[in-house]
Amino acid sequence: MAKVLYDKDANMKVLTEKTVAVLGYGSQGHAHAQNLRDSGVSVVIGLHEGSRSKAVAEKDGFKVYSVADAVKNADVVMFLMPDHVQGDVYRKSVAPNLKKGAALAFAHGFAVHFNQVEPSKDNDVFMVAPKGPGHLVRRMYTEGRGVPCLLAVEQDATGQARDLGLAYACALGGGRAGILSTTFAEETETDLFGEQAVLCGGITELIKAGFDILVEAGYQPEIAYFECLNEMKLIVDLMYEGGMGWMRYSVSDTAKYGDLTAGKRVIDDHVRENMKKLLEEVKDGSFAKDWILENQSGRPRMKKWVKSEAAHPIEAVGKELRAMMPWMDAKSAPDA
Ligand code: NAD
Ligand code: MG
């Protein structure tokens, strides 16, 4: 296994004497800001005019500034606003106010890897990406534990970038769980590929295909929903806790035999070829370019697709069935 770093490997002094500006106070922002503060780091928050997060950050006891003012006195500037706005924010509010020798930090590599943020040669650039959502990063920290983090250094201007990034990851609680090294390219490309091919794109289409085929064959949509969507959680939880072996051990022998005979016929060479094409489009930047242009034109295609996905029958039947499950804190997305 690759080398894993822990609290004992870090020199916290390189960070505790510094001021960190956390830009954005959403899922990741609230966790980074509070964990760093509790680790003895001085933290200020930078938000855009009219941000709904301002009141939350102030309630949590932070000083909230404009992005420009937060950046002016900061030694480390952590970007925790949505990835697609980071380029604009960097050019307009960060770069003109950045202290010489200050470090730029990220929790995902998209903006730097696809040249939306083009740092000057004088700045350290590192990434600390916790492998969990912000509320878990915060909760684990308060319980004396941590969420594993990825650490990458894109640019080392001061000779201290890696030490600083490692100290940041430890201040976040990552050093209690383990910190793995990566690069901006590896983190960004695998993240985009994973969400497209497997996690979000792959799984929703797999579920819908199964559901559609059962319903078209005359089975009840309610039964199709249970089989293709609801039970997915059970199976994923088993794999999450004990790998595929534990899942196969836990299901019936009939399910296991069906899994082993049918899976490869569904995800066949043709699907793997399509996945390879997706990876190529991530690596050569064509996906990033498409996504940036879609944002620049106000997301017209995305809005249309979200609407048509919301109209798929699995969504209506799911809503009714979830209401019958009292143990579940059922959620629903706001209208597109
Ligand atoms: P989020 O949508 O939860 O929060 C975004 C925050 O940015 C909000 O406080 C919002 O008010 C603020 N914001 C929006 N526009 C801004 C602007 N122009 N200037 C300043 N602040 C602005 O975002 P998130 O999910 O916490 O993601 C932040 C970063 O963390 C992204 O790079 C993301 O890829 C990365 N990341 C997220 C997760 C996760 O679980 N959510 C995990 C790992 C990495
Ligand atoms: Mg992702």
Side-chain angles (χ1 to χ4, degrees), residues 128-267:
V128 172
K131 295 319 282 175
H135 66 88
L136 189 67
V137 173
R138 179 59 186 156
R139 182 160 66 82
M140 284 297 109
Y141 184 93
T142 58
E143 292 175 7
R145 299 186 284 171
V147 171
C149 287
L150 303 182
L151 170 64
V153 173
E154 177 81 359
Q155 193 163 284
D156 186 4
T158 64
Q160 268 209 327
R162 183 160 293 276
D163 289 348
L164 193 58
L166 180 57
Y168 189 104
C170 290
L172 202 52
R176 300 164 176 177
I179 298 161
L180 291 157
S181 293
T182 183
T183 61
F184 274 59
E186 182 179 62
E187 187 274 341
T188 307
E189 291 167 5
T190 54
D191 182 78
L192 294 177
F193 174 79
E195 61 205 19
Q196 293 176 20
V198 182
L199 304 176
C200 308
I203 202 172
T204 50
E205 286 304 319
L206 184 68
I207 290 173
K208 278 190 298 173
F211 176 90
D212 288 345
I213 283 165
L214 287 176
V215 172
E216 279 158 23
Y219 298 102
Q220 299 178 69
E222 290 79 4
I223 307 295
Y225 176 88
F226 279 125
E227 286 308 322
C228 300
L229 194 152
N230 187 69
E231 284 195 28
M232 182 67 78
K233 173 168 166 48
L234 227 77
I235 297 299
V236 170
D237 281 350
L238 290 167
M239 292 195 289
Y240 181 78
E241 285 161 3
M244 295 183 185
W246 174 246
M247 183 277 284
R248 289 187 174 126
Y249 170 79
S250 307
V251 299
S252 69
D253 281 356
T254 312
K256 181 159 46 179
Y257 187 70
D259 161 354
L260 297 169
T261 52
K264 290 186 174 64
R265 295 173 60 194
V266 179
I267 308 298

Side-chain angles (χ1 to χ4, degrees), residues 306 332-336:
V306 168
S332 86
D335 285 341

Side-chain angles (χ1 to χ4, degrees), residues 23-29 46-48 51-53 67 79-83 85-86 89 107-108 129-130 132-134:
L23 306 183
Y25 202 79
S27 172
Q28 287 293 320
L47 287 169
H48 61 303
S51 165
R52 275 180 285 148
S53 307
V67 171
F79 283 71
L80 295 175
M81 73 284 280
D83 296 293
V85 307
Q86 292 182 5
V89 172
H108 177 36

